[in-house]
Amino acid sequence: TRDEGRNVLCCKHNHHKTATMTLFVYLFLYAAVFAVLFLILLPNTHLGKGKTFAIRATTRNTTLEEVMSSSSSSSSSSSSTTTSPQQPQTSIKFLAIGDWGGKGWYPYHTYAQIEVANSMARVASEINSEFVVALGDNFYNSGITKWDSKRRLQRTFDAVYHQASLMTPWYVIGGNHDHYGNITAQIEHTEQQKLMNYSPGENTTTMDSRDRWQFPSLYHAHSFQAPTDAPSPVLTVDLILIDTIDLCDLNSVQDENQDGYFDPLPLVSKSFSSSSSKEGGNQWDWIEHQLSSSTADYLLVGGHYPVYSVCRHGPTETLVTHLRPLLQKYNAHYLSGHDHCMVHYEEHNVNYMLTGMGDECCYDASNVNNTLNPSPKSNSLKWYISREKQKLYQAQGGFTSFEATKEQMRVNYHDHRGNVIFEADPVKPRRRQ
């Protein structure tokens, strides 16, 4: 009987021990799951050295229709003037990048995007770049929403382009993928970034990082000046950023793997633009006003959709019909993205510069013979990189750099390593009327 009692006590002890171990196993599993979810949802993770960010702002869930309805106020168009940088120089230097929007799931960036960002930082430091022009498709695949705006802005933008030499103003315009989401959240970030708390980091900059994102309205204009030794004492560059989705419409297919994604957009009239500028009229009226009033040495227009392209999206008929004549009339040049490749056209002294390799290369060149593009006999197509040429250049992504002086503007196309893979013929300053 005593042995039976010992056996009963032993069994109870073993049962209690087994239950305790099972409880510990469950607690460990719950803790592991919580840790994984915490890392995925935490928006403050930094991808490299530099600053870590903590946002205190909130984002209003405004639709595109609300943007359009309210765009008769100053939220539709704006302009600014920027003087030379902290250390005066006799040229104006900057970078341009398109289609850099990472991806819509963890870790919210691509390998090529990180490589391009690091090379942009090196080139920006070497040339003393003053600003960056971001040409749309800032957040793949469907823009941002009020639910993920903090995470996407930090993971896809702040944490990727964190280097000191890129802590300059970024002049941003929306692309088609941005318009699939809450484009207003990106516009509002221009003011909301000023409410952010920035933790000390290893990077030190001469600029308040809370002023970096410059997307004040759907379309906006900026002027840049630098002193020179020339008879005219000031070098000027005017940058007009336009919203080509408002001008040309939007393809309803969002996934490039689905049929219809690369279908060309139909020609629409100038009255299609539904936004109104504070000066009166729609965006087309605002564009011509900005062009006609500019006296700058170099006049640049930037938008997401290209005028001309040999790659898979191809040329944009509405821009060929309505924007091209304005560029020729006012001796302006055009920067764009949209097609994930690089293309340089020069036609009637107007340069068309497509730089859409911010986080990948490349689409195929299926529109080389598109009749909306200049005729091959015109020799307007100066250079391009597409999937067919990817092995030749070994490029996984890229960006473009600019240096404007009183005598000329140099345009260089860089791969993801920062190497110059094409240098365009120098762009001459505008003819004086």
Side-chain angles (χ1 to χ4, degrees):
T1 303
R2 184 177 299 175
D3 291 339
E4 291 177 354
R6 290 196 186 98
N7 290 336
V8 171
L9 290 173
C10 182
C11 289
K12 287 182 178 181
H13 175 73
N14 290 338
H15 177 73
H16 177 70
K17 184 176 181 181
T18 301
T20 302
M21 293 180 64
T22 302
L23 178 61
F24 276 118
V25 169
Y26 278 115
L27 288 174
F28 175 78
L29 291 175
Y30 279 125
V33 171
F34 177 79
V36 171
L37 291 174
F38 180 77
L39 289 174
I40 292 176
L41 296 176
L42 181 66
N44 293 333
T45 301
H46 200 283
L47 298 177
K49 296 180 179 179
K51 300 181 181 301
T52 304
F53 304 84
I55 291 184
R56 292 191 287 109
T58 58
T59 302
R60 181 168 63 88
N61 186 23
T62 309
T63 63
L64 177 58
E65 288 74 17
E66 289 177 89
V67 175
M68 295 306 183
S69 65
S70 64
S71 59
S72 58
S73 65
S74 60
S75 63
S76 283
S77 61
S78 62
S79 60
S80 67
T81 301
T82 303
T83 57
S84 56
Q86 290 79 1
Q87 294 183 352
Q89 53 187 17
T90 58
S91 61
I92 296 174
K93 305 171 185 178
F94 61 97
L95 307 180
I97 183 174
D99 304 82
W100 51 273
K103 54 187 180 182
W105 57 92
Y106 185 84
Y108 307 103
H109 64 269
T110 67
Y111 169 78
Q113 184 189 5
I114 298 295
E115 292 293 301
V116 170
N118 290 332
S119 296
M120 285 177 65
R122 178 174 59 79
V123 172
S125 178
E126 291 172 353
I127 70 172
N128 195 18
S129 173
E130 301 175 42
F131 58 91
V132 178
V133 181
L135 293 162
D137 279 3
N138 313 314
F139 301 98
Y140 289 115
N141 275 342
S142 302
I144 60 176
T145 69
K146 73 171 185 177
W147 306 110
D148 68 355
S149 60
K150 290 195 300 184
R151 178 167 63 249
R152 290 305 308 277
L153 281 158
Q154 291 184 347
R155 293 282 186 85
T156 305
F157 176 60
D158 287 324
V160 176
Y161 307 98
H162 62 86
Q163 301 86 346
S165 60
L166 297 181
M167 290 294 173
T168 59
W170 282 56
Y171 297 101
V172 183
I173 203 69
N176 54 307
H177 286 275
D178 301 306
H179 276 274
Y180 292 135
N182 184 352
I183 190 70
T184 307
Q186 294 191 40
I187 293 173
E188 289 178 342
H189 185 64
T190 303
E191 292 299 321
Q192 290 177 349
Q193 67 184 335
K194 298 175 183 178
L195 303 176
M196 291 180 177
N197 287 332
Y198 286 79
S199 301
E202 294 183 21
N203 287 344
T204 59
T205 70
T206 57
M207 175 193 179
D208 188 339
S209 302
R210 290 171 290 185
D211 289 330
R212 186 161 66 137
W213 182 269
Q214 295 295 316
F215 192 179
S217 54
L218 286 176
Y219 42 95
H220 44 104
H222 307 270
S223 295
F224 307 91
Q225 299 179 351
T228 72
D229 297 326
S232 178
V234 177
L235 166 69
T236 55
V237 173
D238 281 354
L239 174 65
I240 302 170
L241 294 177
I242 65 177
D243 189 283
T244 55
I245 286 73
D246 172 59
L247 300 176
C248 306
D249 207 357
L250 186 68
N251 192 321
S252 61
V253 182
Q254 302 182 30
D255 187 347
E256 66 179 47
N257 297 312
Q258 295 181 355
D259 292 339
Y261 179 79
F262 291 101
D263 288 351
L265 295 171
L267 172 65
V268 298
S269 68
K270 286 188 174 182
S271 62
F272 176 83
S273 173
S274 58
S275 65
S276 300
S277 67
K278 62 182 178 181
E279 294 87 358
N282 67 9
Q283 187 184 173
W284 282 115
D285 299 313
W286 179 86
I287 291 171
E288 181 148 24
H289 172 74
Q290 296 294 323
L291 290 169
S292 64
S293 61
S294 173
T295 60
D297 296 294
Y298 301 93
L299 181 53
L300 305 177
V301 180
H304 183 63
Y305 292 153
V307 175
Y308 297 134
S309 175
V310 302
C311 291
R312 199 162 179 189
H313 281 298
T316 308
E317 187 171 7
T318 297
L319 298 181
V320 173
T321 303
H322 301 312
L323 183 62
R324 174 177 170 269
L326 295 177
L327 297 172
Q328 293 181 6
K329 179 179 179 180
Y330 296 107
N331 197 203
H333 307 281
Y334 188 66
L335 288 69
S336 68
H338 194 45
D339 257 331
H340 295 185
C341 56
M342 287 178 168
V343 186
H344 192 102
Y345 276 96
E346 183 182 352
E347 179 196 43
H348 302 308
N349 296 317
V350 176
N351 288 266
Y352 299 88
M353 299 158 280
L354 194 163
T355 177
M357 288 169 34
D359 71 3
E360 75 166 7
C361 173
C362 288
Y363 288 162
D364 55 54
S366 57
N367 279 285
V368 172
N369 297 315
N370 190 307
T371 56
L372 286 174
N373 287 325
S375 167
K377 296 181 180 180
S378 68
N379 197 33
S380 297
L381 177 58
K382 302 303 181 182
W383 173 83
Y384 69 91
I385 177 175
S386 62
R387 180 172 297 172
E388 294 85 350
K389 296 184 176 183
Q390 189 173 6
K391 289 184 178 180
L392 173 64
Y393 292 101
Q394 295 293 309
Q396 299 177 13
F399 60 97
T400 308
S401 67
F402 300 79
E403 178 182 0
T405 67
K406 271 291 186 179
E407 293 75 30
Q408 64 183 22
M409 181 172 69
R410 296 176 57 189
V411 182
N412 289 328
Y413 294 82
H414 302 258
D415 65 14
H416 67 285
R417 296 173 293 264
N419 299 324
V420 176
I421 54 177
F422 179 71
E423 181 177 353
D425 290 337
V427 178
K428 296 181 180 180
R430 297 171 69 203
R431 298 183 302 271
R432 295 302 179 185
Q433 302 298 327

